[in-house]
Amino acid sequence: SSQIYPIHLPRETRTRRALLICNIEFEYLSCRNGAEVDVEGMTKLLEGLGYVVDVHCNLTSEGMAMVMKEFAQCKDHYTSDSTFLVFMSHGVKAGLCGTKSSDETTDILSLDTIYKTFNNKCCRALLGKPKVVIIQSCRGRNIGSVFVSDSADRAACPLSSAHKISAGLEDDAIFEVHLESDFATLHSSTPDTVSWRSSETGSVFIQRLIEQFRNHACNSDLQEIFRKVQYSFQKFPRQLPSQERTTMLRKFYLFPGH
């Protein structure tokens, strides 16, 4: 169907690759105890979905950017149908903390860097292919819940002319595509709020995401699985995963035709 991302190659010949970056130990911030459980769980999940997983731990923001750039140039993407980009670290509203971060402005990887590195200009091998971004981090210091009352008192763009293509022009060598498309992003929490992690069992978000993928990847598309992850937090009001900057044009099934 034209509404579903195609998977042209059989599993035996396609070369799915995934990138997992996890910062656990920091020079100035607290150690993210339990994050190693997340790394193990996500690696096993992605391998089960047919991806070779490149794992990198304890990087500065510059190191994370360099690893992403190298991964974006991987030639295996030409014979792949998609990729997963997983990031786990301390975080602030502006982005992800590198290992030398000490406050909200030092050694921070801007989230924009992720999308710029893998957009259709910089990563042609993934043009038109799903790029799934998973981000486990705090996005602020606020608790994600609020007490509400049952009280009845409610007080308590049109296209730019500069961008229009002139009629009659043809070019056999160059065609126009969206600069950024085919991304699906799931954050562990909403903006300005914290994400929760157990030092023994890992992050609540990663645990539930793994569970939903294992239960539903065989018959649900990606964004339906994301919705199921969000629904699993219905009775955990302190945190709610958030789908953002999603530019998927079709449905993505990891196992089409199952």
Side-chain angles (χ1 to χ4, degrees):
S1 171
S2 62
Q3 298 297 311
I4 297 174
Y5 282 99
I7 296 179
H8 298 297
L9 297 173
R11 182 172 181 137
E12 296 74 29
T13 56
R14 65 175 177 248
T15 53
R16 283 179 171 176
R17 296 288 292 268
L19 176 65
L20 192 159
I21 296 176
C22 181
N23 289 337
I24 302 175
E25 299 177 353
F26 300 80
E27 289 192 20
Y28 306 105
L29 305 178
S30 60
C31 180
R32 297 182 61 249
N33 295 316
E36 62 280 355
V37 179
D38 294 338
V39 172
E40 181 180 0
M42 281 302 301
T43 300
K44 287 183 178 179
L45 173 69
L46 292 170
E47 288 176 344
L49 295 173
Y51 294 86
V52 174
V53 187
D54 294 1
V55 179
H56 300 268
C57 294
N58 300 328
L59 301 175
T60 62
S61 58
E62 183 178 349
M64 288 189 279
M66 184 179 303
V67 163
M68 284 194 294
K69 186 175 181 179
E70 292 174 352
F71 183 77
Q73 301 307 312
C74 179
K75 297 195 181 303
D76 280 350
H77 294 318
Y78 283 103
T79 46
S80 179
D81 52 56
S82 58
T83 191
F84 272 73
L85 309 167
V86 183
F87 303 89
M88 309 177 190
S89 186
H90 285 307
V92 296
K93 188 173 184 178
L96 297 160
C97 297
T99 53
K100 294 183 181 296
S101 179
S102 59
D103 55 39
E104 294 191 2
T105 59
T106 60
D107 197 22
I108 303 297
L109 178 76
S110 168
L111 298 182
D112 279 343
T113 304
I114 300 172
Y115 301 95
K116 290 178 180 178
T117 303
F118 293 95
N119 69 21
N120 293 327
K121 178 181 179 180
C122 297
C123 187
R124 294 296 302 276
L126 288 170
L127 173 65
K129 302 173 183 179
K131 295 165 278 282
V132 185
V133 183
I134 305 294
I135 301 177
Q136 163 60 45
S137 73
C138 289
R139 306 179 70 187
R141 300 179 180 180
N142 297 332
I143 302 299
S145 61
V146 63
F147 288 101
V148 295
S149 169
D150 286 335
S151 170
D153 181 7
R154 293 185 178 271
C157 156
L159 194 65
S160 167
S161 59
H163 192 70
K164 290 180 180 177
I165 302 170
S166 300
L169 290 181
E170 294 183 0
D171 195 319
D172 291 332
I174 298 174
F175 62 96
E176 192 173 28
V177 298
H178 296 102
L179 176 61
E180 180 180 309
S181 65
D182 310 296
F183 283 96
T185 304
L186 188 63
H187 286 267
S188 58
S189 61
T190 50
D192 300 312
T193 62
V194 297
S195 295
W196 297 91
R197 168 177 40 83
S198 164
S199 60
E200 295 182 358
T201 59
S203 305
V204 178
F205 169 67
I206 296 296
Q207 293 174 47
R208 298 188 181 190
L209 182 143
I210 291 172
E211 179 183 6
Q212 296 302 321
F213 267 87
R214 285 178 174 167
N215 290 339
H216 301 289
C218 64
N219 55 21
S220 296
D221 70 276
L222 179 76
Q223 287 175 281
E224 175 63 14
I225 297 173
F226 279 2
R227 189 194 63 77
K228 291 179 184 294
V229 174
Q230 292 175 293
Y231 184 78
S232 73
F233 281 80
Q234 184 181 25
K235 296 183 179 180
F236 189 76
R238 293 195 167 194
Q239 181 179 342
L240 180 64
S242 175
Q243 295 191 54
E244 299 177 24
R245 203 159 175 169
T246 293
T247 53
M248 297 284 276
L249 302 176
R250 311 180 187 187
K251 292 183 177 181
F252 176 39
Y253 288 92
L254 287 149
F255 298 99
H258 181 81

